[in-house]
């Protein structure tokens, strides 16, 4: 049984994927925006420099007006709540509550409410949150493991024996930290064997933990750091995820701003997935940059894109049953019209190119190839004698968003 939700992201509203056995309901992560990535007090050889750079580029963390990052400053529970909300997009799993020490006009009120509702943070006895309290390293790791629903797969105490100071880990934190360790979220500097669980987490340490949590959920590429705790090399297990019927996949077309075809022609077309589609736990199931291969085909009073194959960025291919809406907008080409004005930032189907060539009298178009390499010379005769022709005008970035017509099972790694 499917549970579908809609999420807004960037330029497109995508229907979420469904809950299936062994899978989770997905959401869409918006593309990161440009942000300051170099700081006056973070040298290129600083141990956490790559983690800070990547998270600042994603807008999860930021520097100060003076150009510094202050990597050794402590992080409060309220500040951590704000970071978590920027790093992870997740459906609420419980109702927010009013903490007695967090007023509605407190700067992080909404961030704390959200971090609680999505399962990353909880309060203390007496319904307090202690927003201005510095957050210990073990609390950060517990929060990330709990928020991502990670549970240890091996013996907890056996895993924690890796740390020379494992006896200092609080009882409540032992199982989540074991799970975080298995997922390679733990980063220990300068000695990878010392967790320092009760020490206050610094801005640099939190950046490293959050980035590794993104890596563990396939939302970021791994950084080669000697301070990431890796118990043993692991190969991610393939996970099968069902993308359900009715899911809308956003696409773009980089070769032109417009496509012109006749109502009667079929033209091959490849589109690019515009945004990552990921599960609610952050597993990317359709990466941005994947290719959708199909055809523009005649449809009642217009043209329609019919997808045939999905090719993921890792080379995996899947048969895809998906279609766009029927596009009925037309553009009239008349005798005497300048062909340069018609074809500027435009790709033509073979039939459209033949029509433009015949109506305008510009035979130069006939020597070119269009959409998939179709030769147009033999089609020109179909349009001889016409003073005008109506062509279907397609804006590929908006008109060709497609809906999946049949459940699609994909494998993630």
């Amino acid at each position: 049984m499917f549970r579908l939700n809609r999420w807004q992201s960037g330029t497109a509203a995508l229907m979420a994927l469904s809950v299936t056995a062994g899978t989770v309901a997905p959401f869409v992560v918006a593309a990161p925006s440009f942000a300051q990535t170099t700081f006056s007090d973070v040298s290129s050889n600083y141990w956490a420099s790559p983690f800070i750079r990547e998270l600042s580029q994603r807008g999860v963390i930021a520097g100060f007006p003076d150009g510094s990052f202050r990597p050794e400053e402590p992080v409060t529970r309220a500040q951590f709540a704000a970071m978590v909300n920027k790093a992870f997009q997740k459906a609420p799993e419980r109702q927010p509550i009013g903490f007695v020490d967090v007023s509605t006009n407190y700067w992080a009120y909404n961030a704390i409410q959200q971090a609680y509702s999505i399962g990353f943070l909880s309060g203390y006895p007496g319904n307090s949150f202690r927003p201005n309290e510095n957050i210990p390293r073990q609390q950060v790791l517990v929060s990330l493991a709990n928020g991502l629903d990670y549970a240890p797969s091996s013996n907890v105490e056996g895993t924690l024996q890796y740390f020379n100071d494992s006896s200092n880990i609080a009882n409540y934190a032992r199982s989540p930290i074991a799970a975080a360790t298995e997922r390679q979220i733990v980063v220990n500097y300068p000695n990878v064997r010392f967790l320092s669980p009760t020490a206050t987490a610094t801005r640099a340490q939190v950046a490293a933990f959050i980035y590794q949590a993104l890596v563990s959920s396939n939302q970021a590429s791994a950084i080669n750091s000697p301070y990431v705790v890796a118990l043993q090399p692991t190969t991610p297990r393939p996970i099968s995820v069902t993308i359900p019927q009715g899911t809308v996949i956003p696409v773009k077309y980089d070769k032109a701003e417009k496509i012109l075809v006749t109502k009667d022609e079929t033209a091959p077309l490849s589109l690019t997935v515009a945004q990552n589609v990921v599960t609610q736990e952050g597993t990317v199931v359709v990466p941005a940059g994947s290719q959708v291969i199909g055809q523009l085909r005649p449809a009642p009073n217009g043209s329609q894109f019919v997808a045939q194959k999905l090719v993921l960025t890792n080379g995996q291919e899947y048969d895809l049953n998906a279609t766009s809406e029927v596009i009925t907008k037309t553009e009239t080409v008349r005798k005497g019209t300048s062909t340069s004005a018609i074809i500027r930032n435009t790709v033509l189907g073979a039939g459209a190119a033949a029509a433009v060539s015949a109506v305008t009298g510009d035979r130069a178009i006939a020597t070119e190839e269009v959409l998939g390499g179709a030769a147009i010379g033999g089609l020109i005769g179909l349009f001889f004698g016409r003073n005008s022709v109506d062509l279907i005008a397609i804006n590929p970035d908006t008109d060709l968003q497609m809906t999946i017509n049949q459940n699609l099972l994909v494998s993630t790694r």
Side-chain angles (χ1 to χ4, degrees):
M1 182 174 182
F2 298 113
R3 175 169 61 86
L4 300 179
N5 300 294
R6 287 190 179 271
W7 298 78
Q8 295 288 336
S9 175
T11 59
L14 305 185
M15 181 172 287
L17 311 185
S18 68
V19 174
T20 61
T23 67
V24 291
F27 61 92
V28 177
V29 177
S33 58
F34 288 105
Q36 180 183 1
T37 58
T38 57
F39 304 95
S40 59
D41 54 352
V42 180
S43 63
S44 59
N45 61 354
Y46 181 66
W47 73 270
S49 175
F51 303 106
I52 294 170
R53 181 180 62 250
E54 292 296 327
L55 279 197
S56 61
Q57 185 173 11
R58 289 169 175 252
V60 174
I61 55 177
F64 293 87
D66 63 359
S68 67
F69 182 77
R70 306 176 193 175
E72 301 304 320
E73 279 198 0
V75 175
T76 66
R77 282 170 52 81
Q79 290 169 345
F80 181 67
M83 294 178 189
V84 161
N85 291 330
K86 291 180 179 179
F88 304 97
Q89 298 183 30
K90 184 182 175 185
E93 58 185 42
R94 57 188 178 182
Q95 291 295 319
I97 62 175
F99 293 105
V100 296
D101 54 353
V102 181
S103 63
T104 57
N105 61 355
Y106 182 67
W107 72 268
Y109 173 81
N110 290 332
I112 291 169
Q113 292 283 294
Q114 176 70 6
Y116 175 86
S117 67
I118 62 178
F120 276 90
L121 284 169
S122 296
Y124 290 93
N127 207 29
S128 65
F129 186 81
R130 305 178 190 175
N132 298 320
E133 185 176 275
N134 292 337
I135 190 167
R137 284 167 53 88
Q138 64 182 357
Q139 270 192 29
V140 174
L141 293 171
V142 170
S143 168
L144 295 173
N146 289 344
L148 295 173
D149 299 320
Y150 290 162
S153 59
S154 302
N155 177 267
V156 168
E157 296 307 316
T159 298
L160 296 182
Q161 283 179 4
Y162 177 89
F163 304 111
N164 292 341
D165 55 354
S166 63
S167 60
N168 295 333
I169 302 173
N171 288 335
Y172 80 89
R174 301 187 77 80
S175 181
I177 288 179
T181 303
E182 291 177 359
R183 299 281 185 147
Q184 298 187 15
I185 295 175
V186 181
V187 185
N188 291 336
Y189 172 86
N191 190 326
V192 73
R193 287 279 184 170
F194 281 87
L195 182 65
S196 303
T198 61
T200 294
T202 66
R203 283 167 53 81
Q205 292 167 0
V206 170
F209 288 156
I210 290 178
Y211 188 82
Q212 285 302 111
L214 290 170
V215 172
S216 75
S217 53
N218 296 326
Q219 296 185 68
S221 300
I223 288 174
N224 185 17
S225 169
Y227 305 111
V228 175
V229 175
L231 298 181
Q232 59 185 12
T234 58
T235 300
R237 293 173 295 175
I239 301 173
S240 293
V241 179
T242 297
I243 305 177
Q245 177 181 347
T247 297
V248 177
I249 295 182
V251 292
K252 62 181 180 178
Y253 185 65
D254 296 325
K255 296 181 180 179
E257 297 176 0
K258 182 170 63 177
I259 299 172
L260 293 177
V261 293
T262 66
K263 294 180 180 179
D264 302 320
E265 72 175 296
T266 298
L269 184 65
S270 294
L271 302 172
T272 303
V273 176
Q275 292 177 301
N276 283 347
V277 178
V278 303
T279 67
Q280 192 168 2
E281 283 193 347
T283 301
V284 177
V285 288
V286 182
S290 299
Q291 298 296 302
V292 178
I293 300 171
Q295 294 178 324
L296 289 170
R297 294 181 183 175
N301 300 315
S303 183
Q304 182 179 40
F305 180 72
V306 178
Q308 298 167 311
K309 184 178 295 185
L310 173 65
V311 183
L312 303 184
T313 53
N314 62 6
Q316 294 179 16
E317 296 186 7
Y318 299 93
D319 291 334
L320 178 61
N321 182 347
T323 53
S324 72
E325 298 291 333
V326 176
I327 303 102
T328 58
K329 294 176 295 184
T330 60
E331 181 173 315
T332 301
V333 177
R334 292 183 172 83
K335 188 174 183 179
T337 303
S338 168
T339 55
S340 62
I342 298 171
I343 65 175
R344 185 180 298 116
N345 295 322
T346 302
V347 166
L348 291 80
V356 171
S357 179
V359 170
T360 64
D362 186 348
R363 295 297 184 266
I365 297 179
T367 66
E368 300 178 358
E369 294 184 334
V370 296
L371 276 187
I376 68 174
L379 300 175
I380 293 179
L382 299 174
F383 302 96
F384 274 151
R386 295 195 187 184
N387 292 320
S388 67
V389 63
D390 291 331
L391 302 176
I392 302 297
I394 301 169
N395 181 334
D397 291 345
T398 57
D399 295 337
L400 299 182
Q401 311 301 311
M402 69 195 69
T403 300
I404 294 179
N405 301 320
Q406 183 178 11
N407 288 355
L408 175 65
L409 185 68
V410 299
S411 175
T412 63
R413 294 185 182 274

